[in-house]
Amino acid sequence: MSKSVSRRKFVQDASLSTMAIGLTPQFIKAQSNVVKDKVRIGIIGTGFRGQSHLDMLCERKDTVIVSFADPDLKMMASAQRILQKAGRPAAAEFTKGNDDYINLLKRADIDAVIIATPWEWHIKQALEAIKHKVIPGVEVCGAIKLTDCWDIVNASEQSGVPVMCLENVCYRRDVLAVYNMVKKGIFGELLHLQGGYEHDLRSVKFNDGQNGYNDGIEFGAKAYSEAKWRTNHSLYRNGELYPTHGLGPVAMMIDANRGNLLTRLSSVATKARGLHKYIVNHPKGGENHPNAKLKWKLGDIVTTQIQTHNGETIILTHDTNSPRPYNLGFRVQGTEGLWQDFSGGQLDAGHIYIEGVSAKPHQWENPEPYLKKYDHPLWKKYESQAAGAGHGGMDFFVENAFVECIKRNVPFPLDVYDLATWYAITPLSEKSIAENGQMQVIPDFTRGKWKNRKPDFGMNDIF
Amino acid sequence: MSKSVSRRKFVQDASLSTMAIGLTPQFIKAQSNVVKDKVRIGIIGTGFRGQSHLDMLCERKDTVIVSFADPDLKMMASAQRILQKAGRPAAAEFTKGNDDYINLLKRADIDAVIIATPWEWHIKQALEAIKHKVIPGVEVCGAIKLTDCWDIVNASEQSGVPVMCLENVCYRRDVLAVYNMVKKGIFGELLHLQGGYEHDLRSVKFNDGQNGYNDGIEFGAKAYSEAKWRTNHSLYRNGELYPTHGLGPVAMMIDANRGNLLTRLSSVATKARGLHKYIVNHPKGGENHPNAKLKWKLGDIVTTQIQTHNGETIILTHDTNSPRPYNLGFRVQGTEGLWQDFSGGQLDAGHIYIEGVSAKPHQWENPEPYLKKYDHPLWKKYESQAAGAGHGGMDFFVENAFVECIKRNVPFPLDVYDLATWYAITPLSEKSIAENGQMQVIPDFTRGKWKNRKPDFGMNDIF
C-alpha cells in the first residue's frame, strides 16, 4: 500500500519512526510538523519571483524568514533589503554555487521552503527538500522529463512530506468566482474548458543584460533575470512549456485527481517565427547578429487537447512568441451555459451566458455582475490584504494557503498529485509534437486514489 | 497523368470527345459549357435551404430556373410559389420518390444543379450530376465516409465536370475583410487559426412536426424540416459533423490546396448531455418520453486539431447541443497580430491587435475600423444586392460565384478539392474520436497538384 500524502499521516509516520529508531535532527523537524502559530521559511531562488514571495511573507505575522539560497549576489542583496525594510532580521545566506541550497535544507530550524528557481531546478530541489523533511512550495513550470513527476510523487508518498504547487492563477478573482459558480452548479454539468498562457514574452526572453525586461536581444549568460535561463527552453524544446496557469484553474473546476482524472492528450505546434523575427527587427539586432542565426525549436503557438475520465475536454494554448495582448483565454462551459475570459482578469471583460438566467436568449452578457455576485469567500474576506500582492492580488492567496495549511497541519489544496499531473503535460506534449500529434496517455499519479479523494480546493474562506 | 479539373480543360476534353465519338445528348450539354449569358439551373432539394438558394437565383437576370426535384410536395409547392412571386415560369417537377432527381439530371436543358438535400445525399447526387454532365453546386456538410471524398474527386477529374462547394461563410463580410488583410500581409505570416460551428441547434434538431423550429422534441419521421434527417446524425455519429463553416474561411486564408495542404488531425469529444437534457426538460418531454430513453452518440463539444504542410495549426470546434450564443469563433493569428471573432459577424464585436498599428501595445482594439478599411472589393461592389440575401448577405456571394464562374467558363474558387478536403474532416474526426484521439492523416485529394495551384478565391470584385 502506498502511503497517503496527508500531513496528518506524515506526523503519524514521523512519530512512529522516532519511536522506532530514535531521535535525529531530521526527526526533530518532522515532529515539529504539528499545529503551530508560525512557519519558519527558507527561500531557494531570490530572483524577482522569490522576492515577490518574500514581499508577501513579510506582510504576514505568522512567518519567520530564516534563510535564502541563491548564487546570484545581487539578487541576494535585494532580498535582504526587503527583509530590512520590513524590519525583520537578516536571513542566513547560502550563496556558494548552485548546490549550496542543500546546506540551507540541512538546517534544523526550517519548516518549509519556497522554490522559485529556474525551471530545471524545481524537482531536483523539491526532492532534496523532502529528503531533509522540509516542506517544499514549488513554483510553476512544466517538467523537464516525465520521470521527474513520478520522482516527486514517490518521494512525497514515501517520506510523508507534503508538497504544494504554487499555482497562483487558481486564485485569480474572476477564476475563483467562476469556480464558485461551478461548485454551485450555475453552469450545469461541465463539458468543455479552455485555458492557456497567451502572453507576449519576447521582451522577457531577451534583454541587454542590464534592465531586465527590455532593450536587447541577448539571452543566457549575457542576459539578466529570466532571459538567463528561460529562453533556452524556446531554443531546445517544442511543447506546452508552461501549462499550469491555464490548466490549474480548470483542473480544479473539474475535480481532477479528486473523482476525476486527466487521461490523454495530443499536442500540435505551429512553425517557429516570432523569436527570430524579434531578433532581426530589433534595433540592437538585425540579420547579422549571431542570435539571428539560431534555429528556435519552440513553435510559436502550441495547442494541446486533453481528455478526462469524466468526459470533459480541455484545450490549452501556449502562445508566448508573438505580438498579442495578455490573455489566459479561459472558457468554462457546461450544460447550462458558459463563461469566456478575454482579458487579464478584469471582471468586466469577456462574455457569459447562462440559460434561463441571461436576459436575452442566445446573447452574451457582460460577466461582471455574475463575477461580483459569486465573488469567492476568500476574496471577500481578504480583499484588502490581497490588494497589494502580486499579479492583481492572486499571489496573496497562494502564499496564504501554503502558510495556513502548514500551520494547521492539513493537506495542501494544490498538492503533489496536481504538481505531477500539471508538470507532466510538458514532456507529454513534447513527445506528442515529436510524433506529429500522436495521442499520449497521461499517467495516473495518484495510482487510483483519485477515485476516493474529495475536492478540497477553495472550499472555505480560510485558505 | 490525372486530369486537371478546370473548366477550360473540361471544354477541351469535351470537344475532343465530341470529335472522337460523335454527338450524344450528354456531349451537347458538355459543348454548351462555354461562355454564356444565362445559366440554366435545377434544384435538388426544395426545403428551406433550397428555397433560400432559389430566392437568390430569382434575383438574378442571368439565371433560368428549369426544374426542381424533391419528394416533399409541400416544400415543392413553396418553391413554385417563389418562382410565381418572382414572375418566373413554373419549374418542371420531379417528385416521384427519392430517386426522381436522376430524371431531372437527364434533362438536356440544365447546365447546373444546386444540391440542398439531407447530408447523406450530397455526394451521391453530385456524382449522378457529374455522370450527366451537369455541374453540381453542393451545399455544405461533412462526408458520410472518406471514400465519398475520393469518389467525387475522381468523378470530377475523369469527367472534367467541375464541382463547387457552396460554403457561404467564406463570404461573410468580416471574414472577407480579414481575408483581404491576410492577403495584404497585415497579420504577417499566418501561424494559428481557429473556427467552428458553435450554434445552439437544439430547437432545430427537435420540433413538433408543425412549426419547424420550436415547440417540440420529435425528430425523424414525426418531425418537420431539418429535424427529419439532421438529428439522426447526432444519435449515431460522434465527430466534427459540420466542419466547413469554421474551416472553409481559414483554409482559404492559408491557401489550402493551393501551395499548402491540410495534413493531419486529431479530434476529441466531450460526453453527450445536451440533447437528452433538452428532451427531459421540455414541456412536451420528460423522463418518460420515448426520446428520453435514447443514447446520443455525438459529444456535445467536439474539438479538432489540424496541422498543415506550411506549419500553421487550426482548431475547429463543433458545439451544437448546448445553450450558447451563436459564434463561429474565428481566430486568425500571424507574426504581426491577430483577430478574434466573438459574434455572428458584426463588425464591432470581437478583438483585434496589430503590432505597431494598434494604438497601445498589448491592448485589444475594436476590429470595426480595420474591417471597414479592408472591406473586400466584392462587398464594396455588391453591398446593395447582398443586403436582402440570406445569412446577413453572404449567401449572395456564394450564389454569385457559382453563376458567374459557369457563365465565364472559369474554375470555381471553392472547388472539388476543397469540398473533398473539408468533407473529409468528418469521417476522419469520427475515426480519431473512436480511437481515443489518435492522429489521422488527411489525404491529399489534389494528388500533388496543390504544389502548383495558385490562390484564386476572392481575388477580384467579380466573384
Side-chain angles (χ1 to χ4, degrees), chain A residues 434-450:
Chain A
E435 294 174 1
N436 290 324
Q438 277 293 11
M439 185 270 287
Q440 309 291 326
V441 171
I442 303 173
D444 168 16
F445 291 102
T446 76
R447 292 189 184 94
K449 289 197 284 287
W450 64 274

Side-chain angles (χ1 to χ4, degrees), chain A residues 150-376:
Chain A
W150 279 116
D151 289 346
I152 189 81
V153 166
N154 291 338
S156 181
E157 287 186 341
Q158 283 157 21
S159 65
V161 178
V163 175
M164 178 154 168
C165 178
L166 301 174
E167 182 22 71
N168 56 359
V169 182
C170 290
Y171 294 94
R172 207 172 79 177
R173 192 165 203 163
D174 57 340
V175 166
L176 266 183
V178 169
Y179 177 82
N180 203 16
M181 292 176 72
V182 166
K183 293 295 156 191
K184 289 185 192 309
I186 309 295
F187 295 102
E189 185 177 353
L190 289 193
L191 298 166
H192 179 68
L193 304 101
Q194 299 182 0
Y197 192 63
E198 306 186 284
H199 188 183
D200 176 1
L201 290 181
R202 293 172 301 164
S203 65
V204 172
K205 292 188 184 183
F206 301 99
N207 56 50
D208 66 356
Q210 303 296 326
N211 295 330
Y213 291 106
N214 259 312
D215 289 337
I217 51 162
E218 301 299 340
F219 69 98
K222 293 184 183 172
Y224 181 66
S225 186
E226 283 170 87
K228 261 192 183 330
W229 54 269
R230 185 174 192 154
T231 315
N232 256 318
H233 293 273
S234 304
L235 191 55
Y236 298 119
R237 306 173 75 187
N238 193 7
E240 169 47 89
L241 294 189
Y242 208 52
T244 73
H245 290 329
L247 178 57
V250 301
M252 287 295 117
M253 291 178 197
I254 59 166
D255 301 327
N257 292 329
R258 295 158 185 84
N260 200 358
L261 204 61
L262 310 185
T263 53
R264 293 184 287 263
L265 67 74
S266 63
S267 298
V268 295
T270 70
K271 54 190 130 186
R273 292 289 185 270
L275 300 186
H276 174 77
K277 188 173 160 77
Y278 184 76
I279 291 163
V280 168
N281 293 340
H282 197 282
K284 295 186 182 169
E287 289 284 1
N288 295 320
H289 190 282
N291 288 348
K293 309 287 181 269
L294 297 170
K295 194 165 159 46
W296 299 88
K297 191 166 176 195
L298 176 64
D300 288 341
I301 296 147
V302 174
T303 315
T304 302
Q305 289 179 155
I306 299 175
Q307 299 171 66
T308 70
H309 179 269
N310 291 351
E312 304 91 354
T313 57
I314 302 170
I315 309 299
L316 287 187
T317 308
H318 184 264
D319 172 4
T320 62
N321 296 345
S322 303
R324 59 159 303 131
Y326 178 90
N327 173 28
L328 302 188
F330 289 112
R331 169 167 163 175
V332 175
Q333 181 165 12
T335 54
E336 301 190 8
L338 74 167
W339 170 63
Q340 176 75 56
D341 161 46
F342 238 92
S343 71
Q346 297 88 325
L347 301 187
D348 64 345
H351 311 273
I352 200 164
Y353 180 75
I354 308 290
E355 186 166 46
V357 177
S358 289
K360 295 180 189 169
H362 303 279
Q363 283 197 26
W364 292 117
E365 290 187 286
N366 187 309
E368 188 169 33
Y370 292 86
L371 299 180
K372 284 189 165 168
K373 179 175 175 185
Y374 292 100
D375 196 23
H376 193 278

Side-chain angles (χ1 to χ4, degrees), chain B residues 282-298:
Chain B
H282 198 281
K284 294 184 182 168
E287 289 285 1
N288 295 317
H289 190 282
N291 287 349
K293 309 287 181 267
L294 297 170
K295 193 165 161 44
W296 299 88
K297 192 167 176 194
L298 176 64

